[in-house]
Amino acid sequence: DQQVKQNSPSLSVQEGRISILNCDYTNSMFDYFLWYKKYPAEGPTFLISISSIKDKNEDGRFTVFLNKSAKHLSLHIVPSQPGDSAVYFCAASASNTGNQFYFGTGTSLTVIP
Amino acid sequence: DSGVTQTPKHLITATGQRVTLRCSPRSGDLSVYWYQQSLDQGLQFLIQYYNGEERAKGNILERFSAQQFPDLHSELNLSSLELGDSALYFCASNNPHNPYGYTFGSGTRLTVV
């Protein structure tokens, strides 16, 4: 049972434009969400997080939006750069399950120069 | 270098065999998590250890087992290997003062032939 879903396996965006990566979850108990970025032959690295008490968190070119009623979050990258080309994983956890995170299947982003 | 070390990086073995994957967490991190990433799958949580004790169990097969040693390194043992066990196996660690945001190792790519 996939509790965190990323329905777009891949996304291509022109350099300088906005990249929007989407993530849906089914467990209403999830209260903390993270995005990880993964390059080939490397492990995922933490990118940005958001708590359920917020609906937006910004860090430079990266912004995460959370819509709790829709159980949906999105990652916006503006402007997109070729170095952003990677696989992006969405992850979620519920505070009453300790630190166990559930991951989506990932979206492969390609930024075209 | 994330600080989480996984060995070996690559492993090729035959069906029915047994292998051991090793993980050294980042200095100061007490928790170790094991994840499996199969083709077109997200990161599937296998098992978590905290300071030597099993803390949480995910979709880990009975043929798989893990342990965390007093020096906090962890080993994931995979036995009676099947072709479907071919995957990337990631280890991640974190510490009580930073409960969110795992640090991942670069993974072990297991190929069962």
Side-chain angles (χ1 to χ4, degrees), chain B residues 27-95:
Chain B
S27 178
D29 287 358
L30 300 179
S31 280
V32 169
Y33 305 80
W34 285 98
Y35 282 83
Q36 180 193 54
Q37 185 187 11
S38 302
L39 192 64
D40 296 332
Q41 295 290 314
L43 291 161
Q44 299 293 323
F45 170 67
L46 294 178
I47 197 163
Q48 177 201 357
Y49 278 83
Y50 177 81
N51 203 20
E53 295 194 0
E54 182 183 305
R55 177 64 66 91
K57 225 169 186 177
N59 299 322
I60 188 166
L61 300 172
E62 286 191 13
R63 298 184 286 109
F64 296 1
S65 65
Q67 52 184 329
Q68 185 178 28
F69 295 87
D71 68 351
L72 300 178
H73 92 269
S74 177
E75 292 182 356
L76 179 67
N77 300 296
L78 315 176
S79 61
S80 302
L81 285 168
E82 301 175 359
L83 296 178
D85 297 327
S86 296
L88 268 169
Y89 291 84
F90 287 102
C91 166
S93 72
N94 70 356
N95 68 66

Side-chain angles (χ1 to χ4, degrees), chain A residues 11-74:
Chain A
L11 175 67
S12 289
V13 171
Q14 208 71 30
E15 181 180 3
R17 299 286 186 100
I18 183 171
S19 293
I20 300 176
L21 293 87
N22 294 304
C23 177
D24 297 293
Y25 60 96
T26 57
N27 189 339
S28 58
M29 298 302 291
F30 286 151
D31 56 9
Y32 200 81
F33 306 87
L34 293 83
W35 284 94
Y36 282 84
K37 180 178 180 179
K38 183 184 178 305
Y39 292 116
E42 295 181 12
T45 54
F46 171 77
L47 184 60
I48 193 169
S49 65
I50 188 166
S51 162
S52 60
I53 63 174
K54 293 185 174 183
D55 54 18
K56 176 182 173 182
N57 189 25
E58 200 170 347
D59 183 3
R61 297 184 298 111
F62 302 90
T63 303
V64 56
F65 295 92
L66 175 62
N67 182 334
K68 290 185 286 294
S69 60
K71 296 193 183 69
H72 176 84
L73 65 157
S74 60

